[in-house]
Amino acid sequence: TTERTLIFEDEFILTDNFYLTTEPEHTSSYISTNYPFIINFTMVLFCTQGSMCVQLNLKEYRLKPHDTLIVLPGSIGQCKEFSPDCQVAIIAGLGNNLFNDNNSPHSILFRKHLINWPQIHISSDELQEFLVIYHLMRKKIEQPDSEFTREALIGFMQVLTANGYQWLSRHYKNIQNNKNANRQQILFDNFLSLVQKHYGEQRRIGFYANKMCLTPKYLSQVIHQVS
């Protein structure tokens, strides 16, 4: 922890290194660890500058500006590299405080998605919106004599959660589109291989579709989309 770390009732943790010097002892002590450790809280990390390499559940992720890493409880993590100019902001929470709709269909779907793809790239506008909300959360925690700080923080987190669902939805669709595109490319390549073998005697789409265990209509669609 540093002077930039704020903790609210052992539920929310907000921390960043935006105003720390880039001296090696400061950057290394901020986030680097010498060994993997179990993360018992939900953590959302945003990289705004520089780069860092994180190992999460035996997989390595390199974060650059506009990258975010969403870490679920029970994960095993370690910061492997942290460039001197790297700047990050972190929001962490225990229990259900970060995602207070854990049982919603969106939450269940996206949590499954995050197991394989915890790193997401967001736009400049999306990062700026996060930073505005992040600084508002810090300001709220630092306000003296505030009776409804927890309610305000939960409200801010609802906005961030909705934004996060939007980023995850876009990322999920891109992954699915890439999978479909890769499958279609494989089918198209197989089709070309068959054509090279049989073009002399067979020019009917039904012949090639039957060879590939596809319907002629679907094979025609694949050929059209790829080529």
Side-chain angles (χ1 to χ4, degrees):
T1 59
T2 70
E3 62 270 23
R4 291 292 301 168
T5 300
L6 294 176
I7 301 176
F8 177 77
E9 296 185 354
D10 294 328
E11 291 185 271
F12 290 100
I13 302 174
L14 280 71
T15 184
D16 63 69
N17 65 334
F18 292 160
Y19 305 106
L20 301 181
T21 67
T22 57
E23 296 297 326
E25 61 268 19
H26 282 173
T27 56
S28 61
S29 63
Y30 175 66
I31 200 168
S32 297
T33 57
N34 296 324
Y35 49 85
F37 62 97
I38 296 178
I39 301 171
N40 294 319
F41 46 84
T42 303
M43 181 176 71
V44 185
L45 184 151
F46 291 82
C47 180
T48 64
Q49 181 178 303
S51 65
M52 64 184 299
C53 180
V54 176
Q55 181 173 283
L56 187 65
N57 298 324
L58 303 180
K59 294 182 180 180
E60 286 195 357
Y61 302 91
R62 182 163 295 278
L63 277 68
K64 297 180 179 179
H66 299 178
D67 283 345
T68 179
L69 189 73
I70 303 177
V71 183
L72 300 178
S75 300
I76 300 176
Q78 181 182 8
C79 181
K80 308 279 287 193
E81 296 177 22
F82 196 77
S83 69
D85 62 337
C86 185
Q87 291 187 353
V88 298
I90 298 173
I91 297 180
L94 297 174
N96 298 333
N97 297 312
L98 279 181
F99 299 94
N100 54 11
D101 57 346
N102 275 338
N103 295 322
S104 74
H106 296 301
S107 177
I108 295 171
L109 174 63
F110 290 138
R111 281 175 177 271
K112 290 181 179 179
H113 180 71
L114 286 172
I115 293 174
N116 294 314
W117 292 283
Q119 181 178 351
I120 302 171
H121 189 78
I122 61 177
S123 69
S124 297
D125 289 342
E126 289 168 337
L127 178 60
Q128 289 305 312
E129 184 178 0
F130 160 76
L131 290 174
V132 168
I133 298 174
Y134 173 78
H135 287 298
L136 286 173
M137 292 178 70
R138 291 188 63 92
K139 185 176 181 180
K140 179 58 65 176
I141 292 176
E142 292 173 330
Q143 277 183 352
D145 304 323
S146 177
E147 298 181 18
F148 301 99
T149 300
R150 188 177 188 277
E151 289 77 6
L153 292 177
I154 291 176
F156 285 130
M157 285 310 307
Q158 287 178 335
V159 176
L160 289 178
T161 299
N163 287 349
Y165 285 162
Q166 186 63 49
W167 306 336
L168 287 167
S169 177
R170 182 180 64 228
H171 189 255
Y172 178 79
K173 290 176 181 177
N174 288 338
I175 293 293
Q176 296 304 313
N177 289 338
N178 289 336
K179 284 183 177 180
N180 291 334
N182 291 337
R183 181 174 185 273
Q184 290 179 343
Q185 184 65 53
I186 292 173
L187 291 175
F188 182 71
D189 292 341
N190 291 341
F191 165 73
L192 290 182
S193 296
L194 288 172
V195 169
Q196 290 176 351
K197 293 180 181 179
H198 303 287
Y199 73 91
E201 66 274 8
Q202 290 290 345
R203 298 185 182 181
R204 295 181 300 104
I205 190 68
F207 170 82
Y208 297 101
N210 184 61
K211 285 281 188 181
M212 299 173 66
C213 299
L214 303 173
T215 65
K217 181 179 180 181
Y218 181 67
L219 180 57
S220 297
Q221 291 174 345
V222 170
I223 294 170
H224 176 74
Q225 291 173 358
V226 175
S227 63

